[in-house]
Amino acid sequence: MIAYAIQQGYRSILLWTNQSLLGARKLYESYGFEVKEIRTQLLSGQELKEERWELDLRPG
């Protein structure tokens, strides 16, 4: 996915996950993604923290 995005000229990749999904967070971090935004949502009466992860693909 990352190689394809670079090949196509994308500037970044954005992924969303929940703070409680530790496996996803660990995977994103291992590929160099960084948390850029955290949102708190109320879902079914429970507070949920959503995270937007981003990987900058620009050279430099």
Side-chain angles (χ1 to χ4, degrees):
M1 168 185 79
I2 295 172
Y4 176 80
I6 292 169
Q7 184 181 46
Q8 295 302 310
Y10 286 85
R11 292 182 291 166
S12 65
I13 299 173
L14 302 176
L15 300 172
W16 283 93
T17 192
N18 298 323
Q19 210 170 47
S20 62
L21 298 176
L22 302 179
R25 297 177 81 239
K26 194 173 194 174
L27 181 64
Y28 296 170
E29 191 173 32
S30 74
Y31 280 97
F33 286 80
E34 297 177 347
V35 176
K36 298 295 183 176
E37 181 183 354
I38 298 174
R39 294 182 187 173
T40 301
Q41 303 285 344
L42 194 59
L43 181 63
S44 299
Q46 294 185 342
E47 188 176 277
L48 180 68
K49 293 198 184 283
E50 298 176 327
E51 298 177 334
R52 179 175 61 88
W53 290 69
E54 184 175 353
L55 179 62
D56 189 350
L57 300 176
R58 293 173 289 186

